[in-house]
Amino acid sequence: MGTSAPHPQPPRRRSDVQRNERSLLEAAAAVFASSGVDAPVREIAAAAGVGVGTLYRHFPARSDLVVAVYRHQIESCAQAGPALLAAAPSPFAAVLSWIHLFVDFLGTKHGLARVWQGDADGFTALHLLFIDRLVPVLTDLLDAARKAEEVVAPITAYQLIRAVGDLVAWTSPDPDYDVRRTVTLLVSGLKQEQPELWQPDPAIG
Amino acid sequence: MGTSAPHPQPPRRRSDVQRNERSLLEAAAAVFASSGVDAPVREIAAAAGVGVGTLYRHFPARSDLVVAVYRHQIESCAQAGPALLAAAPSPFAAVLSWIHLFVDFLGTKHGLARVWQGDADGFTALHLLFIDRLVPVLTDLLDAARKAEEVVAPITAYQLIRAVGDLVAWTSPDPDYDVRRTVTLLVSGLKQEQPELWQPDPAIG
DNA sequence: ATCGTGAACGGAGCGACGTTCCGTTCTGGC
DNA sequence: GCCAGAACGGAACGTCGCTCCGTTCACGAT
């Protein structure tokens, strides 16, 4: 890492390209909000007044479009990490708060988590963005909480954030189920020495 | 055979109906194992040497077919509950073991959890079977662990089992992620008094 | 054995979807 | 004004879940 190319902007950007990309982003934001991130591609293209071909040229994978739409929200979530750590009464409280910030972000987008790791190869742009931006933030929070001896479970930030993502993925209006409570349960497990798994002796049958 | 009908079956069952149902179940089991529970309906029907119409007549919803295939496994999982409670060194160990039994069951069927609550109305046969059979079992385990003061978090069996289901839903070959570890983390949270959520004062900005 | 009938079958067909492909349009430099 | 080539757009293809209805066939009555 060193003198990385500052801004290798290619020669120019045609005006219609920029206009269409803007239209697509606005349309996608609207459609995502009303119909969820699983909305049909055609619907988004139509809302943008654009052909599906154009949509695919700008955003080859659905997750590319999703990250483009939500990038700034993810960014502000990432930036909230250090701030929370500074303001919270304890590192653990910061971890818990930040995770819930993340949950609120994911929860408001129906089915977002279904995208964030939906691909079989798990190599979507969303996945990458999460790992690049969010995992380091959570790692710092966890390290601080560990240093304060509030967290003892040997779990990586990646494991934790992915678990939360999975939990929130299925957000549905079930009155008997509260994701936030579950997430709190998960996070509170960090305070516990992880128990060994007792297994029945198969020989006893 | 003898008087092999202790249960007064309704009028009668045509032989071809029974034959086709058997074929479908066997084919479904094979296809589920090789291609996951999301396998195309046509593939299952073809493997059974049957038309899709027949498949749908026997199993109107995909989850009906799934429960038919896995019913006995779910059943044995349910029956393992009390046994584990009796044999384990502590009620909490029994809870943890039973949950992992459940995880192993779900984990081996790719995408099973995607079905178990896939419907928008969440009213699938699979959902019902889980609630009817598994939730009571886990409730007993949790009660025992609470009585032993090993579990203090106010979480219902339904919430816990659903959380586990959500976690396992996305089982994918990610070397950096281990569902079992996450589940253990979740369960170990049961030992903790649930923390209050600290929230930053929005006035501070 | 045969026959009639209604339940059971099966696969063509429909609509929705993701994705591709290529003839057409239009931008921007000359 | 002109043109090369980038960008467009939507028809088209393959796949999927699910339905619908003409055909087949099991089985009790005869």
Short mmCIF file of all heavy atoms in Angstrom, two decimals, chain A residues 27-41 43-44 47 62 70 108-112 114, chain C residues 17:
data_model
loop_
_atom_site.label_atom_id
_atom_site.label_comp_id
_atom_site.label_asym_id
_atom_site.label_seq_id
_atom_site.Cartn_x
_atom_site.Cartn_y
_atom_site.Cartn_z
N ALA A 27 -35.22 5.66 -8.07
CA ALA A 27 -36.31 4.70 -8.24
C ALA A 27 -36.11 3.49 -7.33
O ALA A 27 -37.05 3.03 -6.67
CB ALA A 27 -36.38 4.25 -9.70
N ALA A 28 -34.89 3.01 -7.28
CA ALA A 28 -34.61 1.84 -6.45
C ALA A 28 -34.89 2.13 -4.98
O ALA A 28 -35.50 1.31 -4.27
CB ALA A 28 -33.16 1.40 -6.64
N ALA A 29 -34.48 3.31 -4.54
CA ALA A 29 -34.72 3.67 -3.14
C ALA A 29 -36.22 3.65 -2.85
O ALA A 29 -36.67 3.10 -1.84
CB ALA A 29 -34.14 5.04 -2.85
N ALA A 30 -36.99 4.22 -3.76
CA ALA A 30 -38.44 4.27 -3.57
C ALA A 30 -39.04 2.87 -3.58
O ALA A 30 -39.84 2.51 -2.71
CB ALA A 30 -39.07 5.13 -4.65
N VAL A 31 -38.65 2.09 -4.57
CA VAL A 31 -39.23 0.74 -4.71
C VAL A 31 -38.80 -0.14 -3.54
O VAL A 31 -39.61 -0.89 -2.99
CB VAL A 31 -38.80 0.11 -6.04
CG1 VAL A 31 -39.21 -1.35 -6.10
CG2 VAL A 31 -39.42 0.87 -7.20
N PHE A 32 -37.55 -0.05 -3.16
CA PHE A 32 -37.08 -0.83 -2.02
C PHE A 32 -37.91 -0.51 -0.79
O PHE A 32 -38.28 -1.40 -0.01
CB PHE A 32 -35.60 -0.54 -1.73
CG PHE A 32 -34.67 -1.20 -2.70
CD1 PHE A 32 -33.31 -0.89 -2.69
CD2 PHE A 32 -35.13 -2.13 -3.62
CE1 PHE A 32 -32.43 -1.50 -3.58
CE2 PHE A 32 -34.26 -2.74 -4.52
CZ PHE A 32 -32.91 -2.41 -4.50
N ALA A 33 -38.19 0.78 -0.61
CA ALA A 33 -38.92 1.18 0.59
C ALA A 33 -40.35 0.63 0.57
O ALA A 33 -40.89 0.25 1.60
CB ALA A 33 -38.94 2.71 0.68
N SER A 34 -40.94 0.60 -0.61
CA SER A 34 -42.36 0.21 -0.66
C SER A 34 -42.54 -1.29 -0.86
O SER A 34 -43.47 -1.88 -0.31
CB SER A 34 -43.08 0.96 -1.78
OG SER A 34 -42.57 0.56 -3.04
N SER A 35 -41.65 -1.91 -1.63
CA SER A 35 -41.86 -3.32 -1.96
C SER A 35 -40.75 -4.23 -1.43
O SER A 35 -40.79 -5.43 -1.70
CB SER A 35 -41.96 -3.50 -3.49
OG SER A 35 -42.92 -2.61 -4.03
N GLY A 36 -39.79 -3.67 -0.74
CA GLY A 36 -38.70 -4.51 -0.25
C GLY A 36 -37.60 -4.68 -1.28
O GLY A 36 -37.80 -4.40 -2.46
N VAL A 37 -36.46 -5.13 -0.84
CA VAL A 37 -35.31 -5.24 -1.74
C VAL A 37 -35.44 -6.41 -2.72
O VAL A 37 -34.62 -6.55 -3.62
CB VAL A 37 -33.99 -5.42 -0.96
CG1 VAL A 37 -33.63 -4.16 -0.23
CG2 VAL A 37 -34.09 -6.59 -0.02
N ASP A 38 -36.48 -7.20 -2.54
CA ASP A 38 -36.69 -8.31 -3.46
C ASP A 38 -37.59 -7.92 -4.63
O ASP A 38 -37.99 -8.77 -5.42
CB ASP A 38 -37.32 -9.51 -2.73
CG ASP A 38 -36.30 -10.24 -1.88
OD1 ASP A 38 -35.11 -10.17 -2.20
OD2 ASP A 38 -36.70 -10.88 -0.89
N ALA A 39 -37.89 -6.65 -4.71
CA ALA A 39 -38.79 -6.19 -5.76
C ALA A 39 -38.28 -6.62 -7.13
O ALA A 39 -37.07 -6.64 -7.37
CB ALA A 39 -38.92 -4.67 -5.70
N PRO A 40 -39.19 -6.93 -8.04
CA PRO A 40 -38.79 -7.35 -9.39
C PRO A 40 -37.94 -6.30 -10.07
O PRO A 40 -38.17 -5.10 -9.93
CB PRO A 40 -40.13 -7.48 -10.13
CG PRO A 40 -41.14 -7.73 -9.06
CD PRO A 40 -40.64 -6.99 -7.84
N VAL A 41 -36.97 -6.77 -10.81
CA VAL A 41 -36.07 -5.87 -11.52
C VAL A 41 -36.84 -4.96 -12.47
O VAL A 41 -36.57 -3.77 -12.57
CB VAL A 41 -35.05 -6.71 -12.33
CG1 VAL A 41 -34.24 -5.82 -13.24
CG2 VAL A 41 -34.15 -7.45 -11.37
N GLU A 43 -39.74 -3.79 -12.21
CA GLU A 43 -40.45 -2.71 -11.52
C GLU A 43 -39.52 -1.53 -11.27
O GLU A 43 -39.91 -0.38 -11.47
CB GLU A 43 -40.99 -3.25 -10.18
CG GLU A 43 -41.85 -2.24 -9.44
CD GLU A 43 -42.39 -2.81 -8.13
OE1 GLU A 43 -42.39 -4.06 -7.98
OE2 GLU A 43 -42.79 -2.01 -7.27
N ILE A 44 -38.31 -1.84 -10.88
CA ILE A 44 -37.35 -0.76 -10.61
C ILE A 44 -37.01 -0.03 -11.91
O ILE A 44 -37.00 1.20 -11.97
CB ILE A 44 -36.07 -1.34 -9.98
CG1 ILE A 44 -36.42 -2.05 -8.67
CG2 ILE A 44 -35.05 -0.25 -9.75
CD1 ILE A 44 -35.27 -2.84 -8.08
N ALA A 47 -39.87 2.13 -12.93
CA ALA A 47 -39.98 3.31 -12.08
C ALA A 47 -38.93 4.36 -12.46
O ALA A 47 -39.14 5.55 -12.28
CB ALA A 47 -39.84 2.92 -10.61
N ARG A 62 -27.88 -7.62 -8.19
CA ARG A 62 -28.84 -6.89 -7.36
C ARG A 62 -28.15 -6.23 -6.17
O ARG A 62 -28.50 -5.12 -5.78
CB ARG A 62 -29.91 -7.86 -6.87
CG ARG A 62 -30.90 -7.25 -5.90
CD ARG A 62 -31.90 -8.27 -5.46
NE ARG A 62 -32.74 -8.70 -6.55
CZ ARG A 62 -33.90 -8.13 -6.85
NH1 ARG A 62 -34.34 -7.14 -6.13
NH2 ARG A 62 -34.61 -8.55 -7.86
N TYR A 70 -27.86 2.05 -0.19
CA TYR A 70 -27.75 2.13 1.27
C TYR A 70 -26.36 2.47 1.76
O TYR A 70 -26.12 2.48 2.97
CB TYR A 70 -28.21 0.82 1.89
CG TYR A 70 -29.68 0.58 1.71
CD1 TYR A 70 -30.16 -0.60 1.15
CD2 TYR A 70 -30.61 1.55 2.11
CE1 TYR A 70 -31.51 -0.81 1.00
CE2 TYR A 70 -31.97 1.34 1.95
CZ TYR A 70 -32.41 0.16 1.40
OH TYR A 70 -33.75 -0.05 1.23
N THR A 108 -35.39 -2.17 9.05
CA THR A 108 -36.32 -1.32 8.31
C THR A 108 -36.35 -1.64 6.82
O THR A 108 -37.27 -1.25 6.13
CB THR A 108 -35.95 0.17 8.49
OG1 THR A 108 -34.57 0.33 8.17
CG2 THR A 108 -36.19 0.61 9.92
N LYS A 109 -35.33 -2.33 6.36
CA LYS A 109 -35.34 -2.74 4.95
C LYS A 109 -35.77 -4.20 4.87
O LYS A 109 -35.00 -5.09 5.24
CB LYS A 109 -33.95 -2.62 4.31
CG LYS A 109 -33.02 -1.68 5.02
CD LYS A 109 -33.35 -0.25 4.73
CE LYS A 109 -32.42 0.69 5.48
NZ LYS A 109 -33.11 1.61 6.35
N HIS A 110 -36.94 -4.40 4.42
CA HIS A 110 -37.46 -5.76 4.41
C HIS A 110 -36.59 -6.67 3.54
O HIS A 110 -36.43 -6.42 2.35
CB HIS A 110 -38.89 -5.78 3.90
CG HIS A 110 -39.84 -5.20 4.87
ND1 HIS A 110 -40.69 -5.96 5.64
CD2 HIS A 110 -40.06 -3.93 5.24
CE1 HIS A 110 -41.39 -5.17 6.41
NE2 HIS A 110 -41.04 -3.93 6.19
N GLY A 111 -36.10 -7.70 4.16
CA GLY A 111 -35.37 -8.70 3.40
C GLY A 111 -33.98 -8.28 2.97
O GLY A 111 -33.37 -8.94 2.14
N LEU A 112 -33.48 -7.20 3.52
CA LEU A 112 -32.14 -6.79 3.12
C LEU A 112 -31.13 -7.89 3.38
O LEU A 112 -30.28 -8.18 2.55
CB LEU A 112 -31.73 -5.53 3.89
CG LEU A 112 -30.77 -4.58 3.18
CD1 LEU A 112 -30.35 -3.44 4.07
CD2 LEU A 112 -29.56 -5.26 2.60
N ARG A 114 -31.48 -10.86 3.27
CA ARG A 114 -31.56 -11.96 2.32
C ARG A 114 -30.60 -11.69 1.16
O ARG A 114 -30.18 -12.59 0.48
CB ARG A 114 -32.99 -12.08 1.79
CG ARG A 114 -33.46 -13.50 1.68
CD ARG A 114 -34.96 -13.53 1.52
NE ARG A 114 -35.60 -12.51 2.36
CZ ARG A 114 -36.89 -12.42 2.55
NH1 ARG A 114 -37.69 -13.30 1.97
NH2 ARG A 114 -37.41 -11.49 3.30
P DC C 17 -43.16 -10.49 -10.85
OP1 DC C 17 -43.30 -10.09 -9.45
OP2 DC C 17 -43.45 -9.55 -11.96
"O5'" DC C 17 -41.69 -11.04 -11.06
"C5'" DC C 17 -41.25 -12.15 -10.27
"C4'" DC C 17 -40.07 -12.80 -10.94
"O4'" DC C 17 -40.49 -13.43 -12.16
"C3'" DC C 17 -39.00 -11.82 -11.41
"O3'" DC C 17 -38.02 -11.68 -10.40
"C2'" DC C 17 -38.40 -12.50 -12.65
"C1'" DC C 17 -39.32 -13.68 -12.92
N1 DC C 17 -39.70 -13.79 -14.35
C2 DC C 17 -39.05 -14.73 -15.16
O2 DC C 17 -38.17 -15.44 -14.65
N3 DC C 17 -39.39 -14.84 -16.47
C4 DC C 17 -40.35 -14.05 -16.96
N4 DC C 17 -40.66 -14.19 -18.24
C5 DC C 17 -41.02 -13.10 -16.15
C6 DC C 17 -40.67 -13.00 -14.86
#
